[in-house]
Amino acid sequence: MSGTHGVVIIGAGQAASQAVMSLRSEGYEGPIRMIGEEPEPPYQRPPLSKKFLAGEIGFDRVELKPAEFYASAGCELLLSTRVAAIERSKKLLLTSDGREIAYDKLIIATGSRVREINVPGFDLNGVYYLRSVGDVHDIQSHFKPGAKLVVVGGGYIGLEVAAVAKKNGIEVTVLETADRVMARVVDPIVSHFYERVHREEGVVIRTGVTVDGFEGEGGRVTRVVSGEGESFPCDFVVVGIGIIPNTELAASAGIAVENGIVVDECARTSDPDICAAGDCTSHPNGIYGRRLRLESVHNAIEQGKTAAATLTGKEKPYNQVPWFWSDQYDLKLQIAGLSAGYTQAVVRGDPETGRSFAVFYLKDGILVAVDAVNRAPEFMMARQLIAKHAKLDPTRLADETINMKEIANA
């Protein structure tokens, strides 16, 4: 790579941190600068709604690398800084405070932001989202036994927050618009299992409920009003209704965007000097034969590696089975693959009364995804089988007396 300005990374999350590590491990010796809007160096977001929210771990266990690492790696951190524009013709970044930052190569790792709810009372004190360390501290300030929490949204974030809050002695009600929780990501079998578990733990789950607004007293939220005419009293609210990829900066610079910043299998954008990685991208996936935009740590890490390799003149295409996880109570849900379009669901274990099972999704006999609850062996084996487009016998798959390795080698 020629030039004197080096690599600049917009964003300071998982993909950005990985890109720094991978640039150096790939042998790049030039300057690296990372620009992030938050005051903290890169940290993990998944624990924010899990152990960090629960107070079980501190920030030192959440940050990806200590600030000293970036200094030793020769990476300048420009934190609390927002990039306002990319001038591709001049290879310049313009910051919101008027600075100009030149680059030779650029990685856009702008991630995503919370989807906000636009209803009356949305700006009342006590209405929160969970996306940053600061958000966690705000929510934790309400963790007092007997406090009432209404969670708007029954996806991963909403249910993880509900689980942590319940363990802290809080009265929790979850309101979900769809007819079941986690409807966007799991099969009804898994949805109904999680509804059962949360109710057994004392959480009130209400599906098919729309939120019409928030009402309060003295500028602070005291109840959530539904479109069905019900009122849910609360001391605070956490809204978790999805995220939106941060693609506006790329789009305004004329970089191709379609449900994410469009990249190839080597993380290149439509500009040969710019790569992109993480939640903000849409990439081709050969296993599923279509473009994907993924919201996962795995995706951010692997695209960070791929972008670094590409910018150092190497090609290491990214083409892997997507995977995700969620921790709620004593349950670890691990998902491998994408179940959309499946033709048969095969259950291994007992989701009706137990707390450990797996659901395998087949499309014309070929394994395309698995949802595994406290079933690490099934999850790990399924990742390998999905990549191989393995055709499996449903009867053997459901039979717990047959070891997963035997099924895989059949």
Side-chain angles (χ1 to χ4, degrees):
M1 186 193 305
S2 60
T4 59
H5 301 299
V7 176
V8 177
I9 304 169
I10 306 175
Q14 189 94 45
S17 182
Q18 182 62 55
V20 173
M21 290 185 274
S22 295
L23 282 166
R24 294 309 186 203
S25 66
E26 294 288 358
Y28 174 67
E29 297 179 349
I32 303 175
R33 279 175 288 181
M34 182 192 297
I35 306 172
E37 293 189 19
E38 293 184 51
E40 298 89 1
Y43 59 85
Q44 305 172 67
R45 294 196 189 275
L48 298 188
S49 56
K50 305 176 181 73
K51 289 187 175 183
F52 189 70
L53 178 63
E56 296 174 15
I57 59 174
F59 184 75
D60 61 322
R61 295 273 302 280
V62 173
E63 63 181 349
L64 289 160
K65 294 285 184 181
E68 300 77 44
F69 162 79
Y70 300 98
S72 65
C75 173
E76 180 185 2
L77 293 179
L78 301 175
L79 303 177
S80 300
T81 301
R82 186 174 69 85
V83 176
I86 303 170
E87 291 195 1
R88 292 195 293 138
S89 61
K90 298 178 182 177
K91 289 195 171 182
L92 277 180
L93 306 179
L94 306 181
T95 68
S96 57
D97 58 3
R99 281 179 285 171
E100 293 185 349
I101 299 171
Y103 67 87
D104 296 316
K105 301 290 184 179
L106 182 65
I107 298 177
I108 302 175
T110 44
S112 54
R113 63 187 183 276
V114 295
R115 185 182 300 278
E116 297 184 1
I117 190 167
N118 185 19
V119 296
F122 74 93
D123 55 351
L124 285 169
N125 290 328
V127 177
Y128 302 108
Y129 297 87
L130 201 164
R131 190 64 181 163
S132 70
V133 168
D135 294 335
V136 172
H137 294 323
D138 288 340
I139 293 168
Q140 285 174 328
S141 70
H142 295 273
F143 276 18
K144 301 176 179 65
K148 291 183 172 62
L149 165 65
V150 172
V151 176
V152 178
Y156 287 147
I157 295 293
L159 294 183
E160 287 171 0
V161 169
V164 172
K166 192 63 192 176
K167 286 172 68 175
N168 277 269
I170 294 167
E171 296 181 26
V172 184
T173 300
V174 176
L175 306 181
E176 168 57 45
T177 303
D179 61 358
R180 58 187 177 89
V181 300
M182 297 194 294
R184 191 171 68 91
V185 290
V186 299
D187 176 272
I189 296 168
V190 181
S191 291
H192 296 150
F193 166 79
Y194 273 93
E195 289 174 14
R196 171 177 72 81
V197 168
H198 275 276
R199 286 177 175 135
E200 287 175 354
E201 296 287 345
V203 174
V204 175
I205 301 279
R206 294 291 304 276
T207 56
V209 175
T210 57
V211 171
D212 250 16
F214 306 114
E215 296 179 352
E217 297 170 6
R220 176 165 294 280
V221 68
T222 57
R223 57 194 163 274
V224 180
V225 180
S226 77
E228 294 71 32
E230 290 186 87
S231 180
F232 300 88
C234 61
D235 296 300
F236 65 118
V237 173
V238 175
V239 179
I241 55 173
I243 61 175
I244 300 171
N246 292 323
T247 59
E248 292 82 2
L249 192 61
S252 63
I255 297 169
V257 169
E258 186 176 343
N259 185 32
I261 300 169
V262 176
V263 298
D264 65 10
E265 65 276 6
C266 291
R268 282 182 291 249
T269 70
S270 55
D271 184 319
D273 292 318
I274 301 177
C275 286
D279 286 8
C280 62
T281 68
S282 164
H283 70 277
N285 182 281
I287 294 170
Y288 291 95
R290 60 189 175 91
R291 298 192 72 85
L292 303 176
R293 184 178 66 78
L294 300 174
E295 303 159 4
S296 75
V297 169
H298 170 244
N299 179 63
I301 290 173
E302 295 304 320
Q303 282 196 319
K305 293 178 182 177
T306 297
T310 297
L311 294 186
T312 52
K314 304 165 187 175
E315 294 221 341
K316 297 183 178 180
Y318 167 48
N319 183 40
Q320 298 182 22
V321 175
W323 62 273
F324 319 84
W325 85 94
S326 176
D327 294 331
Q328 299 170 42
Y329 307 111
D330 60 332
L331 309 171
K332 178 172 283 294
L333 168 63
Q334 294 171 294
I335 298 175
L338 303 171
S339 60
Y342 75 90
T343 54
Q344 184 179 9
V346 179
V347 181
R348 183 180 175 90
D350 179 17
E352 294 298 323
T353 59
R355 292 172 87 96
S356 171
F357 68 97
V359 182
F360 296 89
Y361 302 98
L362 307 178
K363 185 174 183 179
D364 302 323
I366 296 172
L367 184 65
V368 294
V370 65
D371 295 337
V373 177
N374 290 347
R375 291 283 179 119
E378 281 84 346
F379 167 72
M380 296 299 294
M381 191 60 67
R383 283 180 64 187
Q384 299 175 33
L385 295 172
I386 293 166
K388 296 175 182 176
H389 298 282
K391 193 160 190 173
L392 302 177
D393 180 346
T395 304
R396 286 173 57 81
L397 200 55
D399 188 347
E400 291 193 271
T401 66
I402 302 175
N403 188 283
M404 279 300 298
K405 288 185 178 178
E406 292 180 47
I407 294 171
N409 295 328

